[in-house]
Amino acid sequence: MEITAQAIADLLGGEVVGDPAAVVTGPARIEQARKGNICFLANPKYEHYIYDTQASVLLVNRSFVPKQPVPATLVKVDDAYASVALLLEHFSRLRKAQKRGNRLWARLSPKRSIACSARIGKGTYIAPQVYVGPRVKIGRNCELHPGVRILHDCVIGDNCILHADVVIGDDGFGFAPQPDGSYHKIPQLGNVVVEDDVEIGAGTTVDRSTMGSTLIHKGVKIGNLCNIAHNVEIGENTVMAGLVGIAGSAKIGKRCKLGGFAAVNGHLTVPDDTTLAGHTGLITPLKASGKIMMGYPALEYGQYLRAYAHFRRGGESDESSR
Amino acid sequence: MEITAQAIADLLGGEVVGDPAAVVTGPARIEQARKGNICFLANPKYEHYIYDTQASVLLVNRSFVPKQPVPATLVKVDDAYASVALLLEHFSRLRKAQKRGNRLWARLSPKRSIACSARIGKGTYIAPQVYVGPRVKIGRNCELHPGVRILHDCVIGDNCILHADVVIGDDGFGFAPQPDGSYHKIPQLGNVVVEDDVEIGAGTTVDRSTMGSTLIHKGVKIGNLCNIAHNVEIGENTVMAGLVGIAGSAKIGKRCKLGGFAAVNGHLTVPDDTTLAGHTGLITPLKASGKIMMGYPALEYGQYLRAYAHFRRGGESDESSR
Amino acid sequence: MEITAQAIADLLGGEVVGDPAAVVTGPARIEQARKGNICFLANPKYEHYIYDTQASVLLVNRSFVPKQPVPATLVKVDDAYASVALLLEHFSRLRKAQKRGNRLWARLSPKRSIACSARIGKGTYIAPQVYVGPRVKIGRNCELHPGVRILHDCVIGDNCILHADVVIGDDGFGFAPQPDGSYHKIPQLGNVVVEDDVEIGAGTTVDRSTMGSTLIHKGVKIGNLCNIAHNVEIGENTVMAGLVGIAGSAKIGKRCKLGGFAAVNGHLTVPDDTTLAGHTGLITPLKASGKIMMGYPALEYGQYLRAYAHFRRGGESDESSR
């Protein structure tokens, strides 16, 4: 996995200032770079690092003029920041190509538990220690990292990434209270359907539906350690940070954004383009789309901040009136 | 796993209107039903679905009179809603019977790690990728789903269900601060005892006690991704949603209900029949039983909502007085 | 694993009153003790238990004078409370010595997935069902409990304890929004570096850096089910309870204490010796070190409690003015 400064310039439509044969083996942050690294300079406050960096290649804007000699080879491009994403993907593709070489072996290894009745699409990588239950269907070009569990009858689309220890299709939390104070389990017979291009963070759990399907629509991105309860539906391109909880039968719209520790009560419908700040608890229905909500119970963002400013002064006025 | 409309009617003490030989392979929600499904009508707002559903059988109240012809076979019962639970359990039993067929093989498979000194009761199902440590005892008719870890010396009762990636018996979080600012680990030598009829959600962790036992009493139901610390005791038939945290040595009473993100501080005793709303933090002792608490620090529910209404207007009055 | 009362007295510099040959097999809480247990009396409110305990040995202060005959053998020491930690560690060392006997076998077992390119230090115990990816380096005398996943290129220091299902090095949550509302994954090519003497609780996830390293410094102790995002740095001897969330690129100082459900926003720097109470959300920078913060958004502890007292009365005054 080596690439020269010239090859990088060709890839990015840039120009080399220095040694075109300088070899790069991977990217690094400029403050931690060593020989073989490529770094980029996007924020001027990091400029002082470039004059004594050990990095082999620096990616800079075409307009950048160094104030002192720079030890590294420069690759000048129109927009250094935008080029970084391209470059990272190029490295990522190279790494995956290496990883994919192991795929056939992977399927045959005793280190995975894959039901015979499961169907797995072409190009899908399954790490050791993954469990794929009976009648599961997984699409093409997915990545299932170590410890992922996909329980019986669940369906995963194409190009999905499930990180370590994700659980898809554990039972929903459904119990019928009995007269003696005990609870009776309500069997959970549905499944989970995850559409294409979904990424789910490490340790997140998605419960199977009581009947029908818990639905994660196309393009959804979910952080680590989230709890998605049974019968939930999450709309296209919604993103949520880590440690978010969605209670049973809630329906989250498209393009929503949920901060860490945000919670949505059961059976609520959250309109498209809603944002929930961190620690927000939505417990009553929202009608209009596009709102930003904060607090518990959730208020509109501006109202919450004004009320909180007042709350904060409450303590101060008490203090001063003593 | 097929059952006819007539067999369902016999099971539920109902009456067939339509084809008694109509075949059912599983339940579905009425808005998603296909051929082979059985659906039920409990809420009149869903009635319009029944006139063009593809479901094969519909479960309805004996008093129900359709306004138009219904394509599906009807099974009429005294209480359709109550019958659904019976029906779901019947399907669940059929599925489990299939699953149990694999049990003997399961114990012999290299896909599990079961210590020779562990004792496991009759009828207990252990999925692949489960870890059962030395001297663990597990009762009868339990289900341990993929990735469950039960560490050394812990005890599980009869009829318990532990979902994927549950951890029972990891070390409690106990450290003694040292003069130099570092921490010294306090060894955790106790165990966890889980009594009969307990269900624990995916990814939940229950720490072993420093000495003695962390105790989960009979009939407790715990959601996904909860953190039960060392020396905790949870009373009979208490239920908690996902992402709840109980700190060390807290003692939760019987029949309590804890919402998502609720937290109980260390060493507190929570009386029987207490309810904690979502995101509530209980940090001081509660004396009377049966209270509903909300907020952080927790107040009584009514008081919190009144105070929050006032808080909310605080922001508005500031706004209007500008 | 048996030890006599006399051996315990020798270990702790104490004196035996009773049978010096009394055999102890392990510690217990005094209210649960049986034959073979050693218990200690630190809190006078537990004194009544000692007069009819089944414990074989009791650890008491040299100054303690029983009011009635005590059935157990006493070991009198200068400070019973301080001696308990020593004693627990002694038992812990004995247990580990037993466990370590299995280590060689462990490395050879098909029950682990350890990449050939991984390097593992002497004295490190790796439980079954652990995953150690390519080029991972693990120091000496670590413990990796069942289900731990250390993904490619991550580095673990000496004397670290990773509890069941810890995930080190899953991808950071980085996505670039696209004009059509979808998100594009930003490859995560860095790693995680965990320094010496770190303990991480069950189910916690630590994301790999986009570039460079997510850094957990020496002596850090992290509870269960925490989410440490990419590029985060956590200073020496900082401790955090369970269910804490640290967002991307936040930098936490030394000797900080974070309560359950505490959250730190992305890119914030938290000064040394900061305490965040449970459920606190830090969303703006803190300048001075040593502060205790509470609430969401976080206020100083005293101010929050005064404001909350005022908030609480808000509800009451509304009530009384009706």
Side-chain angles (χ1 to χ4, degrees):
Chain A
M1 215 169 80
E2 299 191 341
I3 182 168
T4 62
Q6 186 61 57
I8 291 170
D10 292 349
L11 182 75
L12 303 175
E15 170 195 0
V16 176
V17 180
D19 176 11
V23 168
V24 169
T25 57
R29 286 193 244 162
I30 193 154
E31 65 273 32
Q32 300 179 334
R34 303 203 181 162
K35 191 167 178 322
N37 286 145
I38 182 168
C39 303
F40 72 104
L41 181 66
N43 189 328
K45 82 171 181 180
Y46 290 102
E47 183 178 332
H48 67 277
Y49 282 113
I50 74 166
Y51 300 112
D52 55 4
T53 183
Q54 294 178 40
S56 299
V57 177
L58 295 174
L59 197 61
V60 297
N61 285 334
R62 226 178 271 275
S63 57
F64 174 73
V65 181
K67 299 187 187 103
Q68 303 171 29
V70 175
T73 293
L74 300 183
V75 171
K76 294 187 153 191
V77 292
D78 289 341
D79 180 346
Y81 189 70
S83 297
V84 170
L86 278 174
L87 195 65
L88 288 178
E89 278 179 56
H90 185 73
F91 280 110
S92 178
R93 236 175 285 129
L94 291 174
R95 285 219 181 146
K96 264 179 214 164
Q98 292 186 315
K99 213 157 60 171
R100 290 273 154 72
N102 294 328
R103 201 168 45 81
L104 187 65
W105 164 80
R107 290 297 304 280
L108 301 173
S109 152
K111 288 183 179 296
R112 290 147 195 84
S113 298
I114 301 180
C116 298
S117 54
R119 281 197 282 153
I120 297 171
K122 267 195 186 169
T124 284
Y125 169 75
I126 298 194
Q129 304 179 345
V130 165
Y131 174 91
V132 178
R135 297 172 303 281
V136 164
K137 287 180 209 158
I138 301 174
R140 296 174 172 224
N141 300 316
C142 293
E143 297 179 20
L144 275 62
H145 289 266
V148 165
R149 328 273 173 205
I150 305 184
L151 285 94
H152 65 89
D153 296 296
C154 292
V155 179
I156 310 291
D158 294 340
N159 310 314
C160 290
I161 302 177
L162 307 187
H163 288 287
D165 287 6
V166 161
V167 178
I168 303 287
D170 54 292
D171 277 3
F173 193 70
F175 299 95
Q178 302 298 301
D180 67 350
S182 71
Y183 290 85
H184 202 83
K185 182 178 176 66
I186 298 172
Q188 305 290 314
L189 298 179
N191 72 345
V192 177
V193 174
V194 174
E195 295 186 350
D196 299 346
D197 304 320
V198 169
E199 182 161 345
I200 302 181
T204 284
T205 60
V206 184
D207 292 358
R208 76 176 56 238
S209 191
T210 313
M211 292 182 280
S213 301
T214 302
L215 279 169
I216 313 285
H217 285 292
K218 191 173 152 68
V220 166
K221 312 295 180 190
I222 299 177
N224 295 354
L225 297 168
C226 292
N227 181 25
I228 313 296
H230 57 172
N231 312 327
V232 163
E233 182 171 351
I234 301 181
E236 268 187 44
N237 294 325
T238 279
V239 292
M240 55 183 83
L243 290 159
V244 166
I246 311 293
S249 301
K251 191 174 168 185
I252 314 293
K254 298 176 184 176
R255 297 174 303 276
C256 293
K257 292 176 183 150
L258 283 72
F261 299 103
V264 176
N265 265 28
H267 297 272
L268 286 184
T269 294
V270 178
D272 293 348
D273 301 296
T274 300
T275 298
L276 301 184
H279 279 88
T280 294
L282 191 70
I283 64 175
T284 47
L286 262 184
K287 278 169 191 167
S289 63
K291 297 287 186 191
I292 305 179
M293 307 298 293
M294 189 168 185
Y296 187 84
L299 303 177
E300 283 200 41
Y301 186 67
Q303 186 183 16
Y304 183 84
L305 287 186
R306 284 192 305 274
Y308 199 81
H310 189 84
F311 162 83
R312 176 177 188 154
R313 286 194 304 274
E316 289 157 15
S317 66
D318 277 20
E319 190 71 345
S320 57
S321 66
R322 273 186 203 169
Chain B
M1 216 168 80
E2 298 192 340
I3 183 169
T4 61
Q6 186 61 55
I8 291 170
D10 293 349
L11 181 75
L12 303 175
E15 171 196 358
V16 177
V17 179
D19 175 12
V23 168
V24 170
T25 57
R29 287 192 243 162
I30 194 156
E31 65 272 32
Q32 301 179 333
R34 301 201 182 165
K35 193 166 176 327
N37 286 145
I38 182 169
C39 304
F40 72 104
L41 181 66
N43 188 328
K45 81 171 182 182
Y46 290 102
E47 183 179 331
H48 66 277
Y49 282 112
I50 74 165
Y51 301 113
D52 56 4
T53 183
Q54 293 178 41
S56 299
V57 176
L58 295 174
L59 196 62
V60 297
N61 285 333
R62 228 178 271 276
S63 59
F64 174 73
V65 181
K67 299 189 187 105
Q68 302 172 29
V70 175
T73 293
L74 301 184
V75 171
K76 293 186 153 193
V77 293
D78 288 342
D79 181 346
Y81 189 70
S83 297
V84 170
L86 279 175
L87 195 64
L88 288 179
E89 279 180 54
H90 185 73
F91 279 110
S92 180
R93 236 175 286 130
L94 290 174
R95 284 219 182 148
K96 265 179 211 164
Q98 292 186 317
K99 214 158 59 172
R100 290 271 153 73
N102 293 328
R103 199 168 47 80
L104 186 64
W105 163 80
R107 291 295 305 278
L108 302 173
S109 152
K111 288 183 179 295
R112 291 149 194 83
S113 298
I114 301 180
C116 297
S117 55
R119 281 197 282 152
I120 297 171
K122 266 195 187 170
T124 284
Y125 170 76
I126 299 193
Q129 304 180 343
V130 166
Y131 174 91
V132 178
R135 300 172 300 282
V136 165
K137 286 180 209 159
I138 302 175
R140 296 174 172 223
N141 299 316
C142 294
E143 297 180 20
L144 275 61
H145 289 266
V148 165
R149 329 272 174 206
I150 305 185
L151 284 95
H152 64 90
D153 297 296
C154 292
V155 178
I156 311 290
D158 295 339
N159 310 312
C160 290
I161 302 177
L162 306 187
H163 287 287
D165 287 6
V166 161
V167 178
I168 303 288
D170 53 292
D171 277 3
F173 193 70
F175 300 95
Q178 303 298 302
D180 68 350
S182 71
Y183 291 84
H184 202 83
K185 181 177 177 67
I186 298 171
Q188 305 290 314
L189 298 178
N191 72 346
V192 178
V193 173
V194 175
E195 294 185 352
D196 299 346
D197 304 321
V198 169
E199 182 161 345
I200 302 182
T204 283
T205 61
V206 184
D207 291 357
R208 76 175 55 239
S209 191
T210 311
M211 292 183 279
S213 300
T214 302
L215 279 168
I216 314 285
H217 285 292
K218 192 172 149 70
V220 166
K221 312 294 180 191
I222 299 177
N224 294 354
L225 297 168
C226 293
N227 181 25
I228 313 296
H230 57 173
N231 313 327
V232 164
E233 181 171 351
I234 301 181
E236 268 187 44
N237 294 325
T238 279
V239 293
M240 55 184 81
L243 290 159
V244 166
I246 311 292
S249 301
K251 191 176 167 184
I252 314 293
K254 298 176 185 178
R255 296 174 305 275
C256 294
K257 292 177 184 149
L258 283 72
F261 299 102
V264 175
N265 265 28
H267 298 271
L268 286 184
T269 294
V270 178
D272 294 347
D273 301 297
T274 301
T275 298
L276 301 184
H279 280 87
T280 294
L282 191 70
I283 65 175
T284 47
L286 262 184
K287 279 169 192 167
S289 64
K291 298 286 187 192
I292 305 178
M293 307 298 293
M294 190 167 184
Y296 188 83
L299 304 177
E300 283 200 41
Y301 185 66
Q303 186 184 15
Y304 183 84
L305 288 186
R306 284 191 306 273
Y308 200 80
H310 190 83
F311 163 83
R312 175 178 188 153
R313 284 195 306 274
E316 289 157 14
S317 66
D318 278 20
E319 189 70 346
S320 58
S321 64
R322 273 187 202 169
Chain C
M1 216 168 78
E2 298 192 342
I3 183 167
T4 62
Q6 186 60 57
I8 291 170
D10 294 348
L11 181 75
L12 303 175
E15 169 196 359
V16 176
V17 181
D19 177 12
V23 169
V24 170
T25 55
R29 287 191 242 161
I30 193 154
E31 65 273 31
Q32 301 179 333
R34 303 202 181 163
K35 193 168 176 324
N37 285 144
I38 180 167
C39 303
F40 73 104
L41 181 65
N43 188 328
K45 82 173 181 179
Y46 290 102
E47 184 179 331
H48 67 277
Y49 282 113
I50 73 165
Y51 301 112
D52 56 3
T53 183
Q54 294 179 42
S56 298
V57 178
L58 294 175
L59 196 62
V60 297
N61 286 334
R62 229 177 269 276
S63 59
F64 175 72
V65 181
K67 299 189 189 103
Q68 303 171 28
V70 174
T73 293
L74 300 184
V75 171
K76 292 186 154 192
V77 292
D78 289 341
D79 181 346
Y81 190 70
S83 297
V84 169
L86 279 175
L87 195 65
L88 287 179
E89 278 178 57
H90 185 73
F91 280 110
S92 179
R93 236 175 286 129
L94 291 174
R95 283 219 182 147
K96 264 180 214 162
Q98 293 187 315
K99 216 158 58 174
R100 289 272 154 72
N102 293 328
R103 202 169 43 82
L104 187 65
W105 162 81
R107 290 296 305 281
L108 302 173
S109 152
K111 288 183 178 298
R112 292 150 194 81
S113 297
I114 301 178
C116 299
S117 55
R119 282 197 281 152
I120 297 171
K122 268 195 187 171
T124 284
Y125 169 74
I126 299 193
Q129 303 180 344
V130 166
Y131 174 92
V132 178
R135 299 171 301 282
V136 165
K137 287 180 209 158
I138 301 175
R140 296 173 173 227
N141 299 316
C142 293
E143 297 180 21
L144 276 61
H145 289 266
V148 165
R149 329 270 173 207
I150 305 183
L151 284 94
H152 65 88
D153 297 295
C154 292
V155 178
I156 312 290
D158 295 339
N159 311 312
C160 291
I161 302 177
L162 307 187
H163 287 287
D165 287 6
V166 161
V167 178
I168 303 289
D170 54 291
D171 278 2
F173 193 70
F175 299 95
Q178 303 298 301
D180 68 351
S182 71
Y183 290 86
H184 202 84
K185 182 178 178 67
I186 297 172
Q188 305 290 314
L189 298 180
N191 72 346
V192 177
V193 174
V194 175
E195 295 185 352
D196 299 346
D197 305 320
V198 169
E199 181 161 345
I200 302 182
T204 283
T205 60
V206 184
D207 292 358
R208 78 175 54 238
S209 191
T210 311
M211 292 183 281
S213 300
T214 302
L215 279 169
I216 314 285
H217 285 293
K218 191 173 152 68
V220 166
K221 312 295 180 190
I222 299 178
N224 295 353
L225 297 169
C226 292
N227 181 25
I228 313 297
H230 57 172
N231 312 328
V232 164
E233 181 171 352
I234 300 181
E236 267 187 44
N237 294 325
T238 279
V239 293
M240 55 183 83
L243 290 160
V244 166
I246 311 293
S249 301
K251 189 174 171 187
I252 314 292
K254 298 176 184 178
R255 298 175 302 278
C256 293
K257 292 177 183 146
L258 283 72
F261 299 103
V264 175
N265 265 29
H267 298 272
L268 286 184
T269 294
V270 178
D272 294 347
D273 302 296
T274 301
T275 298
L276 301 184
H279 279 90
T280 294
L282 191 71
I283 64 175
T284 47
L286 263 184
K287 278 166 193 171
S289 64
K291 298 286 186 191
I292 305 179
M293 307 298 292
M294 190 168 183
Y296 188 83
L299 304 177
E300 283 200 40
Y301 185 67
Q303 185 183 18
Y304 183 85
L305 288 187
R306 285 193 304 275
Y308 200 80
H310 189 83
F311 162 84
R312 177 178 185 151
R313 285 195 305 274
E316 288 157 15
S317 66
D318 278 19
E319 189 70 345
S320 58
S321 65
R322 273 188 202 170

